[in-house]
């Protein structure tokens, strides 16, 4: 695909995983970009690893990122790169929402997020069977913390 992608604020495909929101900014064969909005007090994904790189650039708020057993607090303007195969998780830190850009080095990273979003009903808990199926299909391993 050789078409340019130009999105105005708020445009683009959007998914929710409980109160956590993701807006797709770009999707290509080899990579994907999203904007994430995670409210305070809501856990992010469980500690996990996958074979694609994942990068975060914090726009607003603070993002607590656990990588390789240590926790770092990323502030607006901070950048975090998690290489494929490294255990990690992330969530909003403090009292406010965290808003960030995320980049997946493989487009299937975004496909995985899309499969996770499908497991979350409008109300109620996520479907644990669909979550497990998504992890298996995309080779995502949960890691004991």
């Amino acid at each position: 695909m050789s078409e340019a992608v130009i999105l105005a604020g708020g445009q683009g495909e959007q998914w929710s995983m409980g109160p956590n929101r993701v807006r797709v900014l770009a999707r290509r064969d080899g990579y994907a970009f999203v904007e994430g909005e995670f409210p305070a007090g809501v856990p992010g994904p469980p500690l996990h690893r996958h074979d694609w790189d994942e990068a975060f650039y914090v726009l607003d708020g603070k993002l607590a990122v656990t990588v390789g057993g240590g926790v770092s607090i990323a502030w607006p303007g901070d950048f975090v790169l998690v290489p494929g195969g490294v255990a990690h998780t992330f969530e909003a830190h403090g009292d406010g929402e965290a808003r960030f850009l995320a980049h997946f080095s493989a487009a299937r990273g975004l496909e995985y997020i899309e499969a996770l979003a499908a497991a979350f009903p409008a109300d109620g808990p996520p479907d644990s069977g669909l979550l497990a199926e998504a992890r298996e299909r995309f080779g995502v391993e949960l890691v004991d913390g």
Side-chain angles (χ1 to χ4, degrees):
M1 176 187 300
S2 60
E3 296 176 20
V5 175
I6 301 172
L7 298 175
Q11 288 183 328
E13 199 172 352
Q14 297 186 38
W15 306 317
S16 294
M17 290 167 284
N20 297 329
R21 296 176 308 280
V22 173
R23 179 170 67 111
V24 179
L25 301 174
R27 178 194 305 241
R28 293 288 188 252
D29 290 340
Y31 64 90
F33 282 100
V34 301
E35 177 185 30
E37 294 181 1
F38 283 32
V42 176
L47 191 64
H48 64 284
R49 70 171 55 100
H50 41 67
D51 63 357
W52 58 85
D53 295 349
E54 194 167 355
F56 303 91
Y57 180 81
V58 180
L59 298 169
D60 295 307
K62 295 178 277 187
L63 194 65
V65 182
T66 302
V67 179
V71 178
S72 295
I73 306 302
W75 292 72
D78 288 354
F79 176 81
V80 177
L81 173 64
V82 181
V86 174
H88 64 286
T89 188
F90 52 94
E91 64 186 11
H93 178 76
D95 296 336
E97 175 180 82
R99 194 168 64 89
F100 55 91
L101 297 177
H103 171 264
F104 306 102
S105 66
R108 62 185 233 281
L110 180 58
E111 293 166 5
Y112 172 63
I113 300 301
E114 186 174 19
L116 291 180
F120 281 80
D123 283 334
D127 182 316
S128 59
L130 289 177
L131 292 175
E133 179 183 303
R135 287 191 297 269
E136 183 175 331
R137 183 166 31 130
F138 292 96
V140 175
E141 174 190 0
L142 296 185
V143 178
D144 291 331

